[in-house]
PDB file of all heavy atoms in Angstrom:
ATOM      1  N   ASP A  32     112.967  67.573-180.615  1.00  0.00           N
ATOM      2  CA  ASP A  32     113.414  68.927-180.294  1.00  0.00           C
ATOM      3  C   ASP A  32     112.862  69.937-181.287  1.00  0.00           C
ATOM      4  O   ASP A  32     112.454  71.028-180.910  1.00  0.00           O
ATOM      5  CB  ASP A  32     114.946  69.012-180.280  1.00  0.00           C
ATOM      6  CG  ASP A  32     115.551  68.223-179.137  1.00  0.00           C
ATOM      7  OD1 ASP A  32     114.879  68.080-178.101  1.00  0.00           O
ATOM      8  OD2 ASP A  32     116.701  67.756-179.293  1.00  0.00           O
ATOM      9  N   VAL A  33     112.860  69.557-182.561  1.00  0.00           N
ATOM     10  CA  VAL A  33     112.335  70.445-183.594  1.00  0.00           C
ATOM     11  C   VAL A  33     110.843  70.677-183.369  1.00  0.00           C
ATOM     12  O   VAL A  33     110.369  71.812-183.424  1.00  0.00           O
ATOM     13  CB  VAL A  33     112.598  69.874-185.007  1.00  0.00           C
ATOM     14  CG1 VAL A  33     111.875  70.685-186.065  1.00  0.00           C
ATOM     15  CG2 VAL A  33     114.086  69.829-185.299  1.00  0.00           C
ATOM     16  N   GLN A  34     110.093  69.620-183.049  1.00  0.00           N
ATOM     17  CA  GLN A  34     108.655  69.757-182.806  1.00  0.00           C
ATOM     18  C   GLN A  34     108.388  70.636-181.590  1.00  0.00           C
ATOM     19  O   GLN A  34     107.488  71.473-181.597  1.00  0.00           O
ATOM     20  CB  GLN A  34     108.008  68.385-182.599  1.00  0.00           C
ATOM     21  CG  GLN A  34     107.882  67.582-183.862  1.00  0.00           C
ATOM     22  CD  GLN A  34     106.975  68.252-184.869  1.00  0.00           C
ATOM     23  OE1 GLN A  34     106.000  68.908-184.514  1.00  0.00           O
ATOM     24  NE2 GLN A  34     107.284  68.094-186.138  1.00  0.00           N
ATOM     25  N   ARG A  35     109.188  70.473-180.550  1.00  0.00           N
ATOM     26  CA  ARG A  35     109.015  71.286-179.344  1.00  0.00           C
ATOM     27  C   ARG A  35     109.297  72.757-179.649  1.00  0.00           C
ATOM     28  O   ARG A  35     108.590  73.646-179.196  1.00  0.00           O
ATOM     29  CB  ARG A  35     109.943  70.788-178.237  1.00  0.00           C
ATOM     30  CG  ARG A  35     109.571  71.329-176.879  1.00  0.00           C
ATOM     31  CD  ARG A  35     110.379  70.708-175.748  1.00  0.00           C
ATOM     32  NE  ARG A  35     110.273  69.264-175.701  1.00  0.00           N
ATOM     33  CZ  ARG A  35     111.289  68.428-175.960  1.00  0.00           C
ATOM     34  NH1 ARG A  35     112.458  68.881-176.281  1.00  0.00           N
ATOM     35  NH2 ARG A  35     111.107  67.134-175.880  1.00  0.00           N
ATOM     36  N   GLU A  36     110.340  73.010-180.440  1.00  0.00           N
ATOM     37  CA  GLU A  36     110.688  74.379-180.811  1.00  0.00           C
ATOM     38  C   GLU A  36     109.568  75.013-181.644  1.00  0.00           C
ATOM     39  O   GLU A  36     109.191  76.160-181.432  1.00  0.00           O
ATOM     40  CB  GLU A  36     112.008  74.383-181.593  1.00  0.00           C
ATOM     41  CG  GLU A  36     112.557  75.744-181.853  1.00  0.00           C
ATOM     42  CD  GLU A  36     113.101  76.415-180.606  1.00  0.00           C
ATOM     43  OE1 GLU A  36     113.377  75.740-179.608  1.00  0.00           O
ATOM     44  OE2 GLU A  36     113.228  77.654-180.639  1.00  0.00           O
ATOM     45  N   VAL A  37     109.032  74.251-182.575  1.00  0.00           N
ATOM     46  CA  VAL A  37     107.929  74.736-183.411  1.00  0.00           C
ATOM     47  C   VAL A  37     106.714  75.054-182.536  1.00  0.00           C
ATOM     48  O   VAL A  37     106.060  76.086-182.715  1.00  0.00           O
ATOM     49  CB  VAL A  37     107.577  73.697-184.494  1.00  0.00           C
ATOM     50  CG1 VAL A  37     106.249  74.009-185.156  1.00  0.00           C
ATOM     51  CG2 VAL A  37     108.687  73.618-185.537  1.00  0.00           C
ATOM     52  N   THR A  38     106.424  74.204-181.575  1.00  0.00           N
ATOM     53  CA  THR A  38     105.293  74.427-180.679  1.00  0.00           C
ATOM     54  C   THR A  38     105.476  75.708-179.887  1.00  0.00           C
ATOM     55  O   THR A  38     104.538  76.497-179.728  1.00  0.00           O
ATOM     56  CB  THR A  38     105.125  73.233-179.728  1.00  0.00           C
ATOM     57  OG1 THR A  38     104.934  72.057-180.509  1.00  0.00           O
ATOM     58  CG2 THR A  38     103.942  73.428-178.802  1.00  0.00           C
ATOM     59  N   GLU A  39     106.681  75.946-179.382  1.00  0.00           N
ATOM     60  CA  GLU A  39     106.942  77.178-178.629  1.00  0.00           C
ATOM     61  C   GLU A  39     106.737  78.414-179.502  1.00  0.00           C
ATOM     62  O   GLU A  39     106.170  79.406-179.049  1.00  0.00           O
ATOM     63  CB  GLU A  39     108.360  77.164-178.071  1.00  0.00           C
ATOM     64  CG  GLU A  39     108.545  76.246-176.892  1.00  0.00           C
ATOM     65  CD  GLU A  39     109.977  76.248-176.387  1.00  0.00           C
ATOM     66  OE1 GLU A  39     110.774  77.106-176.816  1.00  0.00           O
ATOM     67  OE2 GLU A  39     110.286  75.383-175.555  1.00  0.00           O
ATOM     68  N   LEU A  40     107.204  78.345-180.747  1.00  0.00           N
ATOM     69  CA  LEU A  40     107.029  79.484-181.657  1.00  0.00           C
ATOM     70  C   LEU A  40     105.554  79.724-181.951  1.00  0.00           C
ATOM     71  O   LEU A  40     105.116  80.876-182.033  1.00  0.00           O
ATOM     72  CB  LEU A  40     107.810  79.257-182.948  1.00  0.00           C
ATOM     73  CG  LEU A  40     109.327  79.327-182.826  1.00  0.00           C
ATOM     74  CD1 LEU A  40     109.982  78.929-184.148  1.00  0.00           C
ATOM     75  CD2 LEU A  40     109.772  80.708-182.412  1.00  0.00           C
ATOM     76  N   GLU A  41     104.783  78.655-182.116  1.00  0.00           N
ATOM     77  CA  GLU A  41     103.350  78.815-182.366  1.00  0.00           C
ATOM     78  C   GLU A  41     102.652  79.439-181.166  1.00  0.00           C
ATOM     79  O   GLU A  41     101.756  80.270-181.319  1.00  0.00           O
ATOM     80  CB  GLU A  41     102.724  77.464-182.706  1.00  0.00           C
ATOM     81  CG  GLU A  41     103.095  76.960-184.081  1.00  0.00           C
ATOM     82  CD  GLU A  41     102.600  75.546-184.336  1.00  0.00           C
ATOM     83  OE1 GLU A  41     102.167  74.863-183.371  1.00  0.00           O
ATOM     84  OE2 GLU A  41     102.666  75.116-185.494  1.00  0.00           O
ATOM     85  N   GLU A  42     103.046  79.054-179.957  1.00  0.00           N
ATOM     86  CA  GLU A  42     102.444  79.632-178.755  1.00  0.00           C
ATOM     87  C   GLU A  42     102.768  81.119-178.646  1.00  0.00           C
ATOM     88  O   GLU A  42     101.908  81.924-178.296  1.00  0.00           O
ATOM     89  CB  GLU A  42     102.940  78.898-177.510  1.00  0.00           C
ATOM     90  CG  GLU A  42     102.364  77.511-177.359  1.00  0.00           C
ATOM     91  CD  GLU A  42     103.021  76.722-176.233  1.00  0.00           C
ATOM     92  OE1 GLU A  42     103.975  77.231-175.602  1.00  0.00           O
ATOM     93  OE2 GLU A  42     102.577  75.599-175.988  1.00  0.00           O
ATOM     94  N   LYS A  43     104.013  81.500-178.952  1.00  0.00           N
ATOM     95  CA  LYS A  43     104.397  82.910-178.912  1.00  0.00           C
ATOM     96  C   LYS A  43     103.611  83.706-179.953  1.00  0.00           C
ATOM     97  O   LYS A  43     103.196  84.826-179.706  1.00  0.00           O
ATOM     98  CB  LYS A  43     105.893  83.072-179.159  1.00  0.00           C
ATOM     99  CG  LYS A  43     106.743  82.624-178.010  1.00  0.00           C
ATOM    100  CD  LYS A  43     108.209  82.778-178.333  1.00  0.00           C
ATOM    101  CE  LYS A  43     109.083  82.247-177.222  1.00  0.00           C
ATOM    102  NZ  LYS A  43     110.503  82.351-177.548  1.00  0.00           N
ATOM    103  N   SER A  44     103.413  83.118-181.117  1.00  0.00           N
ATOM    104  CA  SER A  44     102.670  83.785-182.180  1.00  0.00           C
ATOM    105  C   SER A  44     101.214  83.997-181.767  1.00  0.00           C
ATOM    106  O   SER A  44     100.640  85.068-182.004  1.00  0.00           O
ATOM    107  CB  SER A  44     102.743  82.950-183.454  1.00  0.00           C
ATOM    108  OG  SER A  44     101.977  83.529-184.466  1.00  0.00           O
ATOM    109  N   ALA A  45     100.612  83.003-181.139  1.00  0.00           N
ATOM    110  CA  ALA A  45      99.222  83.125-180.695  1.00  0.00           C
ATOM    111  C   ALA A  45      99.100  84.196-179.620  1.00  0.00           C
ATOM    112  O   ALA A  45      98.144  84.975-179.610  1.00  0.00           O
ATOM    113  CB  ALA A  45      98.714  81.777-180.177  1.00  0.00           C
ATOM    114  N   THR A  46     100.075  84.262-178.727  1.00  0.00           N
ATOM    115  CA  THR A  46     100.056  85.284-177.674  1.00  0.00           C
ATOM    116  C   THR A  46     100.167  86.670-178.281  1.00  0.00           C
ATOM    117  O   THR A  46      99.445  87.592-177.888  1.00  0.00           O
ATOM    118  CB  THR A  46     101.209  85.044-176.678  1.00  0.00           C
ATOM    119  OG1 THR A  46     101.041  83.748-176.105  1.00  0.00           O
ATOM    120  CG2 THR A  46     101.217  86.090-175.587  1.00  0.00           C
ATOM    121  N   ALA A  47     101.067  86.838-179.242  1.00  0.00           N
ATOM    122  CA  ALA A  47     101.229  88.138-179.894  1.00  0.00           C
ATOM    123  C   ALA A  47      99.954  88.536-180.625  1.00  0.00           C
ATOM    124  O   ALA A  47      99.561  89.701-180.615  1.00  0.00           O
ATOM    125  CB  ALA A  47     102.404  88.106-180.863  1.00  0.00           C
ATOM    126  N   ALA A  48      99.283  87.575-181.232  1.00  0.00           N
ATOM    127  CA  ALA A  48      98.035  87.877-181.949  1.00  0.00           C
ATOM    128  C   ALA A  48      96.961  88.359-180.981  1.00  0.00           C
ATOM    129  O   ALA A  48      96.203  89.277-181.296  1.00  0.00           O
ATOM    130  CB  ALA A  48      97.556  86.641-182.696  1.00  0.00           C
ATOM    131  N   ARG A  49      96.894  87.747-179.791  1.00  0.00           N
ATOM    132  CA  ARG A  49      95.891  88.187-178.816  1.00  0.00           C
ATOM    133  C   ARG A  49      96.222  89.574-178.274  1.00  0.00           C
ATOM    134  O   ARG A  49      95.341  90.387-178.064  1.00  0.00           O
ATOM    135  CB  ARG A  49      95.797  87.187-177.666  1.00  0.00           C
ATOM    136  CG  ARG A  49      94.990  85.963-177.988  1.00  0.00           C
ATOM    137  CD  ARG A  49      94.698  85.151-176.750  1.00  0.00           C
ATOM    138  NE  ARG A  49      95.858  84.864-175.918  1.00  0.00           N
ATOM    139  CZ  ARG A  49      96.708  83.861-176.110  1.00  0.00           C
ATOM    140  NH1 ARG A  49      96.543  83.059-177.131  1.00  0.00           N
ATOM    141  NH2 ARG A  49      97.725  83.665-175.297  1.00  0.00           N
ATOM    142  N   ILE A  50      97.495  89.828-178.021  1.00  0.00           N
ATOM    143  CA  ILE A  50      97.884  91.121-177.453  1.00  0.00           C
ATOM    144  C   ILE A  50      97.583  92.248-178.431  1.00  0.00           C
ATOM    145  O   ILE A  50      97.122  93.315-178.046  1.00  0.00           O
ATOM    146  CB  ILE A  50      99.376  91.115-177.072  1.00  0.00           C
ATOM    147  CG1 ILE A  50      99.595  90.196-175.877  1.00  0.00           C
ATOM    148  CG2 ILE A  50      99.870  92.520-176.762  1.00  0.00           C
ATOM    149  CD1 ILE A  50     101.044  89.973-175.536  1.00  0.00           C
ATOM    150  N   PHE A  51      97.848  92.036-179.711  1.00  0.00           N
ATOM    151  CA  PHE A  51      97.687  93.088-180.704  1.00  0.00           C
ATOM    152  C   PHE A  51      96.405  92.932-181.506  1.00  0.00           C
ATOM    153  O   PHE A  51      96.347  93.308-182.664  1.00  0.00           O
ATOM    154  CB  PHE A  51      98.913  93.129-181.621  1.00  0.00           C
ATOM    155  CG  PHE A  51     100.157  93.514-180.896  1.00  0.00           C
ATOM    156  CD1 PHE A  51     101.145  92.591-180.650  1.00  0.00           C
ATOM    157  CD2 PHE A  51     100.317  94.807-180.433  1.00  0.00           C
ATOM    158  CE1 PHE A  51     102.288  92.946-179.967  1.00  0.00           C
ATOM    159  CE2 PHE A  51     101.453  95.172-179.746  1.00  0.00           C
ATOM    160  CZ  PHE A  51     102.441  94.237-179.507  1.00  0.00           C
ATOM    161  N   ASP A  52      95.370  92.394-180.877  1.00  0.00           N
ATOM    162  CA  ASP A  52      94.072  92.282-181.525  1.00  0.00           C
ATOM    163  C   ASP A  52      93.579  93.693-181.844  1.00  0.00           C
ATOM    164  O   ASP A  52      93.550  94.568-180.973  1.00  0.00           O
ATOM    165  CB  ASP A  52      93.104  91.569-180.587  1.00  0.00           C
ATOM    166  CG  ASP A  52      91.802  91.181-181.253  1.00  0.00           C
ATOM    167  OD1 ASP A  52      91.481  91.740-182.322  1.00  0.00           O
ATOM    168  OD2 ASP A  52      91.104  90.318-180.712  1.00  0.00           O
ATOM    169  N   LEU A  53      93.186  93.929-183.083  1.00  0.00           N
ATOM    170  CA  LEU A  53      92.771  95.269-183.495  1.00  0.00           C
ATOM    171  C   LEU A  53      91.551  95.775-182.742  1.00  0.00           C
ATOM    172  O   LEU A  53      91.388  96.972-182.553  1.00  0.00           O
ATOM    173  CB  LEU A  53      92.492  95.296-184.996  1.00  0.00           C
ATOM    174  CG  LEU A  53      93.729  95.275-185.884  1.00  0.00           C
ATOM    175  CD1 LEU A  53      93.316  95.259-187.349  1.00  0.00           C
ATOM    176  CD2 LEU A  53      94.615  96.462-185.605  1.00  0.00           C
ATOM    177  N   ARG A  54      90.708  94.864-182.289  1.00  0.00           N
ATOM    178  CA  ARG A  54      89.530  95.302-181.543  1.00  0.00           C
ATOM    179  C   ARG A  54      89.935  96.006-180.252  1.00  0.00           C
ATOM    180  O   ARG A  54      89.299  96.969-179.832  1.00  0.00           O
ATOM    181  CB  ARG A  54      88.628  94.111-181.227  1.00  0.00           C
ATOM    182  CG  ARG A  54      88.036  93.477-182.473  1.00  0.00           C
ATOM    183  CD  ARG A  54      87.264  92.243-182.145  1.00  0.00           C
ATOM    184  NE  ARG A  54      88.159  91.211-181.642  1.00  0.00           N
ATOM    185  CZ  ARG A  54      87.763  90.016-181.256  1.00  0.00           C
ATOM    186  NH1 ARG A  54      86.485  89.696-181.282  1.00  0.00           N
ATOM    187  NH2 ARG A  54      88.623  89.120-180.822  1.00  0.00           N
ATOM    188  N   ARG A  55      91.011  95.541-179.634  1.00  0.00           N
ATOM    189  CA  ARG A  55      91.493  96.170-178.399  1.00  0.00           C
ATOM    190  C   ARG A  55      92.018  97.575-178.689  1.00  0.00           C
ATOM    191  O   ARG A  55      91.726  98.532-177.969  1.00  0.00           O
ATOM    192  CB  ARG A  55      92.598  95.313-177.789  1.00  0.00           C
ATOM    193  CG  ARG A  55      93.189  95.867-176.523  1.00  0.00           C
ATOM    194  CD  ARG A  55      94.341  94.996-176.020  1.00  0.00           C
ATOM    195  NE  ARG A  55      94.081  93.579-176.164  1.00  0.00           N
ATOM    196  CZ  ARG A  55      93.721  92.769-175.164  1.00  0.00           C
ATOM    197  NH1 ARG A  55      93.606  93.250-173.959  1.00  0.00           N
ATOM    198  NH2 ARG A  55      93.504  91.499-175.383  1.00  0.00           N
ATOM    199  N   ILE A  56      92.782  97.716-179.750  1.00  0.00           N
ATOM    200  CA  ILE A  56      93.378  99.003-180.104  1.00  0.00           C
ATOM    201  C   ILE A  56      92.297  99.993-180.531  1.00  0.00           C
ATOM    202  O   ILE A  56      92.239 101.130-180.038  1.00  0.00           O
ATOM    203  CB  ILE A  56      94.437  98.812-181.207  1.00  0.00           C
ATOM    204  CG1 ILE A  56      95.583  97.956-180.668  1.00  0.00           C
ATOM    205  CG2 ILE A  56      94.943 100.153-181.716  1.00  0.00           C
ATOM    206  CD1 ILE A  56      96.525  97.438-181.726  1.00  0.00           C
ATOM    207  N   ILE A  57      91.416  99.570-181.432  1.00  0.00           N
ATOM    208  CA  ILE A  57      90.349 100.455-181.920  1.00  0.00           C
ATOM    209  C   ILE A  57      89.403 100.825-180.780  1.00  0.00           C
ATOM    210  O   ILE A  57      89.042 101.995-180.603  1.00  0.00           O
ATOM    211  CB  ILE A  57      89.583  99.784-183.081  1.00  0.00           C
ATOM    212  CG1 ILE A  57      90.489  99.672-184.303  1.00  0.00           C
ATOM    213  CG2 ILE A  57      88.314 100.563-183.420  1.00  0.00           C
ATOM    214  CD1 ILE A  57      89.915  98.829-185.417  1.00  0.00           C
ATOM    215  N   GLY A  58      89.003  99.841-179.990  1.00  0.00           N
ATOM    216  CA  GLY A  58      88.096 100.112-178.880  1.00  0.00           C
ATOM    217  C   GLY A  58      88.704 101.069-177.870  1.00  0.00           C
ATOM    218  O   GLY A  58      88.043 101.999-177.405  1.00  0.00           O
ATOM    219  N   GLY A  59      89.962 100.852-177.533  1.00  0.00           N
ATOM    220  CA  GLY A  59      90.625 101.732-176.573  1.00  0.00           C
ATOM    221  C   GLY A  59      90.725 103.161-177.067  1.00  0.00           C
ATOM    222  O   GLY A  59      90.481 104.114-176.309  1.00  0.00           O
ATOM    223  N   LEU A  60      91.078 103.322-178.341  1.00  0.00           N
ATOM    224  CA  LEU A  60      91.189 104.677-178.892  1.00  0.00           C
ATOM    225  C   LEU A  60      89.832 105.372-178.957  1.00  0.00           C
ATOM    226  O   LEU A  60      89.717 106.559-178.622  1.00  0.00           O
ATOM    227  CB  LEU A  60      91.832 104.639-180.278  1.00  0.00           C
ATOM    228  CG  LEU A  60      93.331 104.375-180.295  1.00  0.00           C
ATOM    229  CD1 LEU A  60      93.829 104.207-181.719  1.00  0.00           C
ATOM    230  CD2 LEU A  60      94.077 105.489-179.603  1.00  0.00           C
ATOM    231  N   PHE A  61      88.797 104.657-179.371  1.00  0.00           N
ATOM    232  CA  PHE A  61      87.466 105.274-179.430  1.00  0.00           C
ATOM    233  C   PHE A  61      86.972 105.656-178.042  1.00  0.00           C
ATOM    234  O   PHE A  61      86.349 106.704-177.866  1.00  0.00           O
ATOM    235  CB  PHE A  61      86.458 104.354-180.132  1.00  0.00           C
ATOM    236  CG  PHE A  61      86.363 104.601-181.604  1.00  0.00           C
ATOM    237  CD1 PHE A  61      87.061 103.811-182.495  1.00  0.00           C
ATOM    238  CD2 PHE A  61      85.576 105.610-182.106  1.00  0.00           C
ATOM    239  CE1 PHE A  61      86.984 104.035-183.854  1.00  0.00           C
ATOM    240  CE2 PHE A  61      85.478 105.848-183.463  1.00  0.00           C
ATOM    241  CZ  PHE A  61      86.192 105.055-184.342  1.00  0.00           C
ATOM    242  N   VAL A  62      87.229 104.818-177.041  1.00  0.00           N
ATOM    243  CA  VAL A  62      86.828 105.165-175.677  1.00  0.00           C
ATOM    244  C   VAL A  62      87.577 106.412-175.217  1.00  0.00           C
ATOM    245  O   VAL A  62      86.981 107.347-174.672  1.00  0.00           O
ATOM    246  CB  VAL A  62      87.064 103.979-174.714  1.00  0.00           C
ATOM    247  CG1 VAL A  62      86.985 104.421-173.260  1.00  0.00           C
ATOM    248  CG2 VAL A  62      86.060 102.872-174.980  1.00  0.00           C
ATOM    249  N   LEU A  63      88.882 106.443-175.435  1.00  0.00           N
ATOM    250  CA  LEU A  63      89.688 107.589-175.016  1.00  0.00           C
ATOM    251  C   LEU A  63      89.213 108.881-175.688  1.00  0.00           C
ATOM    252  O   LEU A  63      88.948 109.883-175.018  1.00  0.00           O
ATOM    253  CB  LEU A  63      91.166 107.344-175.336  1.00  0.00           C
ATOM    254  CG  LEU A  63      92.112 108.501-175.030  1.00  0.00           C
ATOM    255  CD1 LEU A  63      92.225 108.693-173.526  1.00  0.00           C
ATOM    256  CD2 LEU A  63      93.470 108.230-175.649  1.00  0.00           C
ATOM    257  N   TYR A  64      89.079 108.846-177.022  1.00  0.00           N
ATOM    258  CA  TYR A  64      88.653 110.055-177.741  1.00  0.00           C
ATOM    259  C   TYR A  64      87.209 110.418-177.405  1.00  0.00           C
ATOM    260  O   TYR A  64      86.850 111.592-177.365  1.00  0.00           O
ATOM    261  CB  TYR A  64      88.815 109.883-179.251  1.00  0.00           C
ATOM    262  CG  TYR A  64      90.259 109.775-179.683  1.00  0.00           C
ATOM    263  CD1 TYR A  64      90.607 109.001-180.777  1.00  0.00           C
ATOM    264  CD2 TYR A  64      91.273 110.432-179.011  1.00  0.00           C
ATOM    265  CE1 TYR A  64      91.928 108.897-181.184  1.00  0.00           C
ATOM    266  CE2 TYR A  64      92.587 110.330-179.405  1.00  0.00           C
ATOM    267  CZ  TYR A  64      92.909 109.564-180.501  1.00  0.00           C
ATOM    268  OH  TYR A  64      94.212 109.456-180.896  1.00  0.00           O
ATOM    269  N   GLY A  65      86.361 109.415-177.165  1.00  0.00           N
ATOM    270  CA  GLY A  65      84.981 109.691-176.784  1.00  0.00           C
ATOM    271  C   GLY A  65      84.893 110.405-175.450  1.00  0.00           C
ATOM    272  O   GLY A  65      84.122 111.356-175.296  1.00  0.00           O
TER     273      GLY A  65
END
Side-chain angles (χ1 to χ4, degrees):
D32 292 331
V33 171
Q34 287 297 326
R35 195 173 303 113
E36 188 71 18
V37 166
T38 302
E39 285 179 11
L40 290 174
E41 287 173 348
E42 288 172 357
K43 288 179 184 178
S44 177
T46 300
R49 281 191 310 276
I50 290 172
F51 295 109
D52 190 342
L53 285 178
R54 295 175 294 179
R55 179 183 320 257
I56 296 167
I57 292 170
L60 286 174
F61 268 98
V62 166
L63 176 69
Y64 293 148

